Amino acid sequence: MSSRRKSATIIFHRDGDPVSRSLRMPLWLLRLGMIGGLILAALIVISAVLFAPIVRTAARVPGLDRRIERLTAENLQVTELADRLSYAEERYEQIRNMLGGEVVPEIERRERTLPALSPVFALAPGQPRCFAEGPTPPRYWPLSESGVITRGTVGSGSSAEVHTGIDIAVAQGTPVRATGGGVVSATGDDAEYGLFVRIDHPDGYRSMYGHASRVMVALGDSVQSGEVIALSGSTGRSTAPHLHFEVLLDGRALDPSTLVSRECTYGDILVRGG
């Protein structure tokens, strides 16, 4: 470098080449080149900092596209499953109706403006009455059919849901009978048990019949053992026609299957008229 002429000489020498080449330039031009190089380097660094997030985001786009495609496919599967579930529910309703799911239409209970008929007995000639007369503790099977017990009693000490009676699967519209003689202490439509009948019997016994499709008695009626008090159904919290049957003694739930007997043939059919 020469300071007298304020210039600089750059010598280029290649290995193995005996001749060297030199380049002389003014000092101000060299300084200008250095400043320009620094500015260029700074611009490169700033560009890298500013555009790095954009580059990373662009790199994620293919992955996001694949995820969107996967979510779209899963959404289609959910839609197909929902359609299949809807179809299954329609088929279940059809089968239920074929089995008698809507045999007994719901009717509006009216006030008794006319004198009620006395209970009608249909008894074969010479056949003795199967049921005891008057108020009696629960002792008879509450259905005209044997039915199938699909769920038993579950006490509060179990980890399962408490169940204070038994569930008996029967066809829609099966006659539900008083398991003993007594007085109807409650009827109504409950969110859990649907249409129900409750009967108070002597000696502190009480029976309850739930999920009925139709109630045949009214509050305060005196009923005999075996009298038809309701028709089975699937009202309330129920998935299929069945009878929920409870027996309580002084407010404590008992296992009805250990108390009632199925020996009665129901040859005598007691139906309340009116």
Side-chain angles (χ1 to χ4, degrees):
M1 179 181 296
S2 175
S3 59
R4 295 178 181 178
R5 299 180 181 178
K6 296 182 180 181
S7 62
T9 301
I10 301 175
I11 299 175
F12 301 92
H13 179 76
R14 180 183 299 176
D15 292 341
D17 189 352
V19 180
S20 299
R21 295 177 177 81
S22 61
L23 176 63
R24 182 184 297 273
M25 65 176 61
L27 187 59
W28 64 269
L29 183 60
L30 179 61
R31 292 175 178 173
L32 182 61
M34 294 175 63
I35 294 173
L38 292 175
I39 293 174
L40 180 61
L43 290 176
I44 292 174
V45 172
I46 293 173
S47 299
V49 172
L50 293 178
F51 289 100
I54 298 176
V55 173
R56 287 195 299 268
T57 302
R60 293 174 56 189
V61 169
L64 293 175
D65 291 339
R66 289 192 296 270
R67 185 174 181 182
I68 291 173
E69 292 176 358
R70 185 174 66 254
L71 291 176
T72 302
E74 292 176 354
N75 185 51
L76 291 176
Q77 292 178 356
V78 171
T79 303
E80 292 177 358
L81 290 175
D83 293 340
R84 292 179 182 177
L85 179 59
S86 178
Y87 176 76
E89 290 178 347
E90 292 178 358
R91 295 293 295 172
Y92 168 76
E93 188 66 24
Q94 292 176 356
I95 295 173
R96 176 182 170 187
N97 292 336
M98 291 173 61
L99 294 177
E102 301 297 337
V103 170
V104 181
E106 191 68 26
I107 64 172
E108 181 180 358
R109 186 176 182 86
R110 299 178 180 177
E111 296 296 331
R112 294 181 178 176
T113 56
L114 297 176
L117 297 177
S118 301
V120 177
F121 294 86
L123 191 63
Q127 181 180 4
R129 175 165 169 77
C130 178
F131 302 100
E133 298 284 352
T136 59
R139 65 178 63 173
Y140 301 108
W141 188 246
L143 292 163
S144 299
E145 303 175 4
S146 59
V148 178
I149 298 178
T150 58
R151 187 181 182 190
T153 56
V154 179
S156 58
S158 173
S159 58
E161 181 182 4
V162 174
H163 193 244
T164 54
I166 59 175
D167 289 344
I168 310 170
V170 287
Q172 181 96 359
T174 300
V176 178
R177 300 172 179 272
T179 188
V183 177
V184 177
S185 58
T187 63
D189 190 356
D190 182 77
E192 179 75 15
Y193 297 112
L195 295 176
F196 73 94
V197 177
R198 190 177 69 199
I199 301 175
D200 287 348
H201 306 276
D203 302 329
Y205 284 96
R206 171 177 288 176
S207 59
M208 198 278 284
Y209 316 77
H211 304 304
S213 61
R214 181 181 176 185
V215 173
M216 310 289 287
V217 292
L219 179 65
D221 285 348
S222 294
V223 296
Q224 300 289 327
S225 301
E227 181 175 347
V228 176
I229 58 174
L231 300 178
S232 65
S234 186
T235 55
R237 196 179 75 166
S238 172
T239 57
H242 72 283
L243 171 67
H244 176 81
F245 176 45
E246 292 184 9
V247 174
L248 294 90
L249 176 59
D250 296 329
R252 181 173 60 89
L254 305 177
D255 185 355
S257 61
T258 64
L259 299 174
V260 301
S261 171
R262 305 191 194 190
E263 294 179 357
C264 188
T265 61
Y266 295 102
D268 50 341
I269 303 175
L270 175 62
V271 180
R272 177 173 294 276

